[in-house]
Amino acid sequence: MGLTAFSTGKHTKSEELIIKKKKATDKIIAIAGNPNVGKSTVFNALTGMNQHTGNWAGKTVTNAQGYCKHKNDSYVLVDIPGTYSLFAHSKEEEIARNFICFGGAEKTVVICDATCLERNLNLVLQTLEITENVVVCVNLLDQAKKKGIKIDLNGLSKKLGVNVIGTIARKKKTLDNLLYAISNQKTNRNVYKVTYPIIVEQAVSILQDEIEKMVQGKLNSRWLSLNLLSLNESFLEEIKAYLQFDILENPKISQKLCQAKDMLESYGVTEENLNDIIASSVVASSEEICKDIITFKTTTNKDIDRRLDKIFTSKKFGYPIMILLLLAVFWITITGANYISQMLSLLFGFIESKLQDLLQFWNTPPLLHDIIIEGIYRVPALVVSVMLPPMAIFFPLFTILEDSGYLPRIAFNLDKPFKSCHSCGKQALTMCMGFGCNAAGVVGCRIIDSKRERLLSIATNSLVPCNGRFPTIIAIISMFFITIGGFLGEFLSAVLLTTFILLSILMTFVSTKFLSNTFLKGAPSSYTLEMPPYRKPQFLQVLVRSVFDRTLFVLGRSLSVAVPAGFIIWCMANISVNGNSLLLICSDFLDPIASLIGLDGTILIAFILGFPANEIVIPIILMGYLQNGTLTEISSLSVIKEILISNGWTVKTAICTIIFSLFHWPCSTTVLTIKKESGSIKWTILSVLLPTVIGAMICFLINLIFL
Amino acid sequence: MKKLNELKLSQKAKINKILTSGDMRRRFIDIGLIENTVVECVGISPQGDPKAYLIRGAVIAIRNEDSKEILIQEI
């Protein structure tokens, strides 16, 4: 969601490794860990950055970078995507592995979840195989305590031979220890090594010496030997690129490799077998380490999670609760936004009158006066007063849902329906992210392992309305459908909005199924989905983050688009060719197409000009109308409604505008992101056409029926 | 022998053998599903598939078509 913070980095191999140091002496620190262990929270706390965090696995999908200082040293911290292992099944695992191997990090901090340390140690041990410069950070100690889990951090440190720091990432004090450990020079302790069955160890020893001679400490020779034996083709290419020579071309090594493989085979160990043995040995080692380190007390806290799950995923209530929560979020959004909107439009009316006085006082020429008031001032004023309030309320609400750990339950509940469309439940997660921001939703699709399913999710993501499109729909609903005010009115508006959202979710399913049967044929792939413990959301933090991270950002973006757009629309209305204004010529030109789908030329122009930011669509429509008619001061929705009706709006126009707002081309940021993520122009075009065609078709049908 | 997907809510079992091969097999091992690991079924989605299992302290959802490739031993 944090469009502010996500670096829409291309995932070409070279680019993912580019680290921007502030100074040449900056030391690179990699932050690794299993998904959803609070990596981003630790990262934010250390760097003071606002990388968006959420309680679900796969939140960070790009390498985020931040800076921090400790004593005299300065560091570049790199937040790498969460992975269970470094054996690379998916894109994010590949990125993580490559960074730990080749990223040139001074230290790698592996963050572990104290509530399931054993599983997390798996990654720690794998990282230790690659590099000894590791700091283990056992995070979420507070939650472990609640669950009655006690961890002997000193004991763990002794066993692993590296520094182990316990943290509660939400409490900044505990992070000082971590910083200290990062800055600490390497201690000469014996670092834990996973012991493999004797045959494997023998095979490794055949290879290791020869490999050590070749790589000369650039890579860990023991680890490289294991990788050569288990032969991971794509990874061998990466190693070749890193070393700048093909290690297998060396006759000595290829001879030794044959010898080692023959030996393994004579004991009945095949390649597939060896992979199993290696992975299982790591798991078994983690289990062994944890035996004396962790003590459990039985508490009831674990049961709360199970009880919540029983309700949220139950046969009877699972789906109704999802819809009710959606409804509740919209209801609060609409109610809250009403108050803020009213206050803001009063404020902007006041500012406008003062601005006019000021311009008159300065004897501004009438032309400039008109440009400033009607063009440059009004569009941004409308964006802020009508569009921003729902966004400012919806976003934190959504973030609270995300923080609580409920979203993975949605993915769990919706897996079967998505599977019947040949996709998977993770698409539900990226779809939910789309409600916040489609571009972020598209980037989020990286959590999906299968390429086909990832493309499905990318192409269908903009079918759900983002934060920038809700206000348009809400405004039209309260002008044309739910005209009664107060408690009941707000509730009914929320119900209607929820219905439209359900329609967009339905279209997501329909088009996923359609794509699966046409352009992206294939069977649904296998997957596992982690369901994190529920957490109490950090309300204050969410609020602060939403205001600074999101609201101000969106405000800045829409203003930077709204001002030029307001200027363009004013110019179009006031520059005449053969006695007709440009605006009139353009809207007359678009009218025939627009009227086919129940809109008019001005609305279509607004959608086109709204390409950089959807939240300016309604303001542009109004400006377009106002330029043709008399100048009115826009003080409330009822005035806006009058303007719309006097320009020929009917209930049909309202419905069609809502539908077209739900389903039309994605905004420019999203289109660029789709291009980057899919890596293909073909899929980008498809992702633009899909919602546009759906929207045009539905509007066309509505237009036919209402004719 | 029983399969993992046959585990009922709140039932526990020991992993006996993983029949899947390739990436999914590796994934299972990575999340800690090796022989003798104790797992518990802790959640069933509204449509009966996927199911959620408690594996080494973490709750992980696995589809029935995948979990039926894992043989278990009742305890």
Side-chain angles (χ1 to χ4, degrees):
Chain A
M1 309 255 319
L3 188 65
T4 43
F6 80 71
S7 47
T8 41
K10 264 187 191 174
H11 39 262
T12 53
K13 261 138 207 159
S14 58
E15 256 185 68
E16 70 194 34
L17 295 174
I18 291 178
I19 302 296
K20 292 187 198 86
K21 289 185 180 185
K22 274 186 177 167
K23 278 183 294 185
T25 52
D26 280 359
K27 291 173 178 167
I28 301 171
I29 306 292
I31 311 268
N34 278 194
N36 201 42
V37 294
K39 273 190 315 301
S40 299
T41 320
V42 171
F43 177 82
N44 283 345
L46 289 176
T47 59
M49 266 176 63
N50 289 314
Q51 169 88 336
H52 188 77
T53 60
N55 184 12
W56 53 282
K59 185 72 240 188
T60 306
V61 277
T62 44
N63 286 1
Q65 292 174 39
Y67 305 89
C68 81
K69 277 192 172 168
H70 182 76
K71 289 178 184 163
N72 298 323
D73 291 322
S74 49
Y75 300 98
V76 189
L77 269 61
V78 184
D79 186 12
I80 45 188
T83 54
Y84 294 114
S85 89
L86 300 175
F87 293 124
H89 317 266
S90 67
K91 187 147 245 147
E92 30 177 2
E93 287 183 2
E94 206 174 290
I95 293 173
R97 182 201 59 196
N98 287 352
F99 193 82
I100 293 174
C101 295
F102 315 123
E106 194 97 351
K107 278 232 165 86
T108 303
V109 180
V110 184
I111 303 192
C112 300
D113 178 351
T115 61
C116 56
L117 185 64
E118 190 187 317
R119 217 243 350 251
N120 284 247
L121 274 185
N122 210 355
L123 184 72
V124 174
L125 296 183
Q126 287 183 29
T127 312
L128 283 175
E129 301 237 281
I130 301 173
T131 167
E132 298 194 344
N133 295 324
V134 171
V135 174
V136 176
C137 164
V138 181
N139 195 25
L140 305 173
L141 276 181
D142 46 343
Q143 288 186 35
K145 201 176 165 190
K146 271 189 206 153
K147 288 190 169 185
I149 300 168
K150 227 187 135 197
I151 299 164
D152 173 11
L153 295 174
N154 273 331
L156 185 60
S157 175
K158 268 182 204 141
K159 284 205 176 184
L160 292 177
V162 294
N163 281 326
V164 175
I165 309 295
T167 54
I168 298 167
R170 287 162 172 182
K171 291 192 180 151
K172 225 173 170 173
K173 269 186 197 165
T174 60
L175 293 166
D176 288 344
N177 295 334
L178 181 61
L179 262 182
Y180 184 77
I182 290 173
S183 64
N184 217 356
Q185 286 307 306
K186 197 179 146 189
T187 44
N188 284 327
R189 283 191 277 175
N190 275 336
V191 172
Y192 185 93
K193 287 276 170 241
V194 178
T195 339
Y196 298 100
I198 192 99
I199 323 153
V200 180
E201 291 288 348
Q202 269 174 14
V204 167
S205 64
I206 293 176
L207 269 173
Q208 196 175 354
D209 287 343
E210 212 54 59
I211 285 180
E212 182 62 53
K213 276 184 215 157
M214 288 287 293
V215 297
Q216 291 169 344
K218 278 186 206 152
L219 289 169
N220 183 310
S221 55
R222 176 183 160 87
W223 170 80
L224 189 51
S225 310
L226 270 173
N227 267 287
L228 287 180
L229 286 169
S230 56
L231 197 75
N232 177 339
E233 297 269 355
S234 73
F235 193 35
L236 289 182
E237 286 297 314
E238 305 270 355
I239 292 171
K240 189 170 142 187
Y242 176 73
L243 293 172
Q244 294 179 329
F245 61 81
D246 190 350
I247 200 158
L248 292 177
E249 268 174 16
N250 182 305
K252 266 187 192 163
I253 286 182
S254 54
Q255 181 234 326
K256 292 267 182 191
L257 188 62
C258 277
Q259 192 190 332
K261 277 189 174 169
D262 285 346
M263 194 214 64
L264 284 175
E265 225 157 275
S266 70
Y267 285 94
V269 180
T270 60
E271 260 165 39
E272 168 93 335
N273 236 333
L274 182 66
N275 274 319
D276 262 23
I277 293 172
I278 294 174
S280 308
S281 302
V282 178
V283 174
S285 299
S286 308
E287 193 182 327
E288 185 61 35
I289 292 173
C290 284
K291 255 185 194 161
D292 324 315
I293 302 291
I294 305 177
T295 42
F296 292 93
K297 264 187 287 174
T298 40
T299 58
T300 51
N301 218 293
K302 216 184 202 165
D303 300 337
I304 292 176
D305 272 13
R306 298 291 83 78
R307 248 181 276 160
L308 283 175
D309 268 344
K310 251 176 214 160
I311 302 167
F312 286 140
T313 65
S314 85
K315 219 173 190 165
K316 266 190 200 153
F317 305 116
Y319 294 129
I321 286 177
M322 279 166 47
I323 295 172
L324 283 178
L325 271 173
L326 201 64
L327 183 66
V329 165
F330 289 140
W331 191 9
I332 300 172
T333 304
I334 290 172
T335 311
N338 269 345
Y339 290 109
I340 307 179
S341 267
Q342 277 163 12
M343 286 189 298
L344 281 176
S345 39
L346 281 178
L347 178 73
F348 281 110
F350 176 75
I351 295 178
E352 183 173 325
S353 66
K354 289 292 159 203
L355 195 64
Q356 293 206 4
D357 290 348
L358 190 70
L359 291 175
Q360 261 163 17
F361 176 75
W362 281 341
N363 280 329
T364 321
L367 183 70
L368 191 62
H369 173 274
D370 286 357
I371 292 181
I372 291 175
I373 296 290
E374 291 163 34
I376 296 172
Y377 175 75
R378 281 214 175 149
V379 177
L382 269 171
V383 167
V384 175
S385 64
V386 181
M387 300 293 127
L388 198 68
M391 297 166 85
I393 296 175
F394 175 80
F395 188 76
L397 285 178
F398 180 81
T399 316
I400 286 170
L401 261 192
E402 208 184 346
D403 254 16
S404 69
Y406 179 67
L407 293 194
R409 273 74 192 180
I410 295 182
F412 184 61
N413 289 345
L414 288 181
D415 182 66
K416 187 86 188 263
F418 269 115
K419 192 184 151 201
S420 67
C421 303
H422 299 251
S423 180
C424 72
K426 285 185 185 174
Q427 192 178 343
L429 272 177
T430 59
M431 182 181 79
C432 286
M433 275 180 92
F435 285 124
C437 165
N438 289 130
V442 168
V443 178
C445 291
R446 289 191 193 172
I447 60 168
I448 298 164
D449 301 344
S450 132
K451 192 180 176 207
R452 189 188 66 86
E453 286 166 20
R454 195 161 56 236
L455 284 173
L456 278 177
S457 306
I458 290 175
T460 55
N461 197 276
S462 20
L463 290 173
V464 294
C466 65
N467 207 11
R469 288 187 269 165
F470 282 127
T472 309
I473 304 166
I474 293 173
I476 296 175
I477 285 177
S478 42
M479 281 188 283
F480 284 87
F481 300 103
I482 314 290
T483 41
I484 48 166
F487 180 78
L488 186 67
E490 278 152 358
F491 177 72
L492 288 176
S493 301
V495 171
L496 196 56
L497 179 58
T498 309
T499 315
F500 279 117
I501 301 310
L502 290 178
L503 173 72
S504 73
I505 294 173
L506 178 75
M507 287 320 293
T508 305
F509 279 111
V510 171
S511 20
T512 306
K513 179 119 196 172
F514 167 75
L515 290 176
S516 296
N517 286 324
T518 50
F519 300 100
L520 287 160
K521 276 185 190 163
S525 70
S526 310
Y527 89 123
T528 56
L529 173 78
E530 174 150 17
M531 308 209 336
Y534 293 95
R535 286 177 200 162
K536 202 179 92 203
Q538 302 278 297
F539 293 96
L540 192 72
Q541 220 180 350
V542 165
L543 211 66
V544 171
R545 205 166 60 210
S546 306
V547 170
F548 288 100
D549 207 29
R550 186 65 190 175
T551 310
L552 289 183
F553 167 74
V554 168
L555 185 68
R557 184 184 71 166
S558 33
L559 290 189
S560 64
V561 175
V563 171
F567 180 71
I568 291 174
I569 204 97
W570 188 90
C571 289
M572 283 172 78
N574 287 281
I575 297 171
S576 297
V577 181
N578 300 333
N580 285 327
S581 75
L582 267 179
L583 184 65
L584 200 66
I585 296 171
C586 284
S587 67
D588 279 352
F589 175 74
L590 288 174
D591 253 341
I593 312 164
S595 60
L596 268 181
I597 53 174
L599 309 175
D600 67 28
T602 312
I603 304 175
L604 208 51
I605 289 178
F607 273 112
I608 293 169
L609 285 179
F611 180 56
N614 276 299
E615 52 273 24
I616 67 165
V617 169
I618 288 269
I620 292 289
I621 292 176
L622 288 172
M623 282 305 115
Y625 289 150
L626 284 176
Q627 300 302 338
N628 295 335
T630 49
L631 193 78
T632 328
E633 204 166 290
I634 305 155
S635 54
S636 67
L637 279 184
S638 58
V639 180
I640 297 179
K641 186 184 175 182
E642 271 171 38
I643 299 169
L644 294 178
I645 287 179
S646 66
N647 278 281
W649 275 52
T650 59
V651 172
K652 187 183 80 183
T653 326
I655 295 179
C656 288
T657 310
I658 290 179
I659 295 291
F660 205 67
S661 176
L662 283 176
F663 311 120
H664 68 289
W665 47 86
C667 76
S668 56
T669 317
T670 309
V671 172
L672 285 176
T673 313
I674 292 172
K675 171 74 188 27
K676 269 181 188 165
E677 291 302 309
S678 65
S680 109
I681 292 189
K682 197 176 111 194
W683 295 120
T684 314
I685 293 173
L686 181 77
S687 313
V688 172
L689 284 182
L690 180 79
T692 312
V693 169
I694 289 175
M697 264 166 39
I698 299 179
C699 289
F700 179 71
L701 285 177
I702 291 172
N703 200 21
L704 275 186
I705 296 164
F706 275 86
L707 217 63
Chain B
M1 196 170 277
K2 254 187 136 181
K3 294 162 185 163
L4 184 60
N5 65 316
E6 292 163 15
L7 214 55
K8 293 198 180 74
L9 200 62
S10 304
Q11 263 186 344
K12 283 184 188 176
K14 243 183 201 177
I15 300 295
N16 191 285
K17 197 174 167 50
I18 298 171
L19 303 175
T20 337
S21 60
D23 273 358
M24 202 55 196
R25 181 185 186 87
R26 199 55 181 268
R27 168 80 74 201
F28 282 148
I29 296 172
D30 279 343
I31 57 174
L33 282 176
I34 57 173
E35 268 172 49
N36 291 325
T37 307
V38 177
V39 294
E40 181 188 343
C41 177
V42 290
I44 298 173
S45 81
Q47 303 205 20
D49 183 20
K51 290 180 180 175
Y53 303 92
L54 183 66
I55 302 164
R56 294 178 189 265
V59 179
I60 295 181
I62 304 175
R63 283 182 181 157
N64 291 346
E65 60 178 36
D66 296 316
S67 57
K68 77 177 200 300
E69 303 288 321
I70 299 173
L71 301 180
I72 51 165
Q73 215 169 10
E74 280 177 85
I75 44 170

